[in-house]
Structures are given as structure tokens and as C-alpha cells.
Amino acid sequence: MTNIRVKLVSGRSMGQGRGKELGKFSDQYFQSVAICELNSDDMTALGATESGNVKVRTAYGEIVVRACTSRQNLPEGVAFIPYGPWANQVTDPQTHGSGMPSLKGIEAEISPAVDQEVPKLETLIRQSFGRK
């Protein structure tokens, strides 16, 4: 299996905003936020399939999310995960007094995660806080 190194960025997306209006436990929110958008060349280099799962690993943690080719025309070597609980697993929790963590330019490694599932929000909450 091939791994790629990327700069990870996170931020708001239209899908994330629409899904949030339906509720963070809605399927639409899950489908629009538990994803990693990649440049088509990076998808090919990784051997990732559209809607296949990938593992994103940084110095702060790792998460399995669904891969998709970006419609934002991302440059090669940049990955985008919409802001939310899945992105929070791989971003620096320190806010350096700003109240908001740094969400841009995080060194990351992405690998195929063929036999691994994308965790639901309930699972992330249980893992992070030890309760439902």
C-alpha cells in the first residue's frame, strides 16, 4: 500500500454547514464532514478509490475518513477535511490564546484504509470523553 505526505487544511464547507443545520448526528452531516478531499493526482498516487476509506495521521492523532476527489481544485500535496469532529482528531488542540486551533498546513500522512470503517460521531464522543 502506498502512503502520501500532504499538508492538511481544515475549514468550513458548504456541505458541512448544510449538514450542521440538520444536526451533527444526521447522516448528511456525517457524509459531508467525515471526508478527506484530495487532488486527483494524489488520489491516483495513493491508489484511493472515490468514496474509499483512507487513514489520515498527524502528530496529533489519526482518523479514518472517506476519500473523495476535491471539487475545489486543490493543488497536489494538499488535503482538505471539513472542520468538525473528524478533523479535530488530527489537528493541534492548542489554541495559543486565540480560542481556535491552527487548522492550516499540518503535516500529515495518508494511507489507504480498505478494511477500516469511518467512525460515527457517537464513537468519537465515546473515545474522546468515555461516555455516550
Side-chain angles (χ1 to χ4, degrees):
M1 299 239 177
T2 302
N3 297 347
I4 61 171
R5 302 230 19 110
V6 298
K7 295 284 188 179
L8 178 65
V9 297
S10 185
R12 302 283 183 200
S13 72
M14 294 294 289
Q16 180 255 0
R18 284 190 298 269
K20 194 169 136 183
E21 289 299 316
L22 294 172
K24 289 187 177 182
F25 291 96
S26 70
D27 188 58
Q28 184 172 343
Y29 183 76
F30 176 74
Q31 295 298 327
S32 63
V33 178
I35 64 171
C36 180
E37 296 183 18
L38 296 164
N39 172 292
S40 61
D41 292 335
D42 286 335
M43 288 279 286
T44 300
L46 187 58
T49 60
E50 195 70 31
S51 297
N53 293 345
V54 294
K55 180 179 282 187
V56 179
R57 182 177 295 122
T58 71
Y60 311 107
E62 62 184 46
I63 190 69
V64 175
V65 289
R66 184 173 49 87
C68 59
T69 303
S70 178
R71 292 181 286 174
Q72 301 180 63
N73 197 24
L74 284 177
E76 196 171 338
V78 175
F80 176 80
I81 298 178
Y83 183 64
W86 292 266
N88 290 348
Q89 303 302 307
V90 292
T91 57
D92 185 355
Q94 296 300 316
T95 65
H96 309 287
S98 71
M100 188 70 171
S102 176
L103 303 171
K104 311 285 188 245
I106 301 164
E107 295 283 338
E109 181 177 74
I110 301 178
S111 58
V114 178
D115 296 330
Q116 298 177 48
E117 292 186 26
V118 177
K120 296 286 188 182
L121 181 55
E122 294 89 341
T123 303
L124 292 180
I125 291 170
R126 198 168 25 262
Q127 288 172 347
S128 296
F129 304 106
R131 59 180 176 241
K132 294 181 186 178

